[in-house]
Amino acid sequence: MRSALIQAGFQVLGEADGNGPGLRVSEASAGAVISWSTSDGFAALAREQAGRPPSDDSMRVIVQAAVSGLLVQLGHTVAETPDGADLVVLADPASHQDDEGR
C-alpha cells in the first residue's frame, strides 16, 4: 500500500521523518490508518486567503478523496475514522485467514 501511494506521487513519511508534512501510514487492529499533515507554511497560506476558513480542512478532504480513490481502485476497503480526520484501510479478512492458516 505504501509503495502504491509513493508511485502515485504522495509523500509517505516514515517513523524517522518526525512530524513533517505528508501521509503517515500506521498499523491498527482494523488494518492501517492513513493520516495527512500539512506544512506550517501551507497552513499559514491557507489562513491568509480571503474568505477561507483558518484551517486546511478543504485540502485534507481533497487529499483523503485522492488517497481513498486510489486505494479503492486497487481493491482495498477504505473508511473514515469517526472524527473524519483520517482514513482506515481495512484488513482483508481473506488474506488474514490465509496468513493464520500457514
Side-chain angles (χ1 to χ4, degrees):
M1 178 174 39
R2 283 183 173 95
S3 63
L5 292 169
I6 292 168
Q7 287 177 354
F10 291 103
Q11 181 174 352
V12 179
L13 305 173
E15 290 182 25
D17 293 321
N19 293 328
L23 294 175
R24 186 169 309 282
V25 180
S26 53
E27 302 225 3
S29 59
V33 175
I34 300 176
S35 57
W36 178 71
S37 59
T38 183
S39 68
D40 292 338
F42 177 81
L45 179 62
R47 281 191 294 273
E48 291 174 8
Q49 298 297 314
R52 304 250 187 223
S55 71
D56 60 359
D57 284 345
S58 60
M59 185 56 79
R60 181 184 48 77
V61 169
I62 292 167
V63 170
Q64 284 184 341
V67 169
S68 179
L70 171 68
L71 295 176
V72 166
Q73 185 177 11
L74 294 174
H76 296 282
T77 302
V78 181
E80 285 188 1
T81 56
D83 63 3
D86 300 318
L87 296 173
V88 177
V89 182
L90 302 175
D92 180 11
S95 67
H96 183 64
Q97 288 173 353
D98 289 346
D99 290 343
E100 289 177 350
R102 292 181 192 190

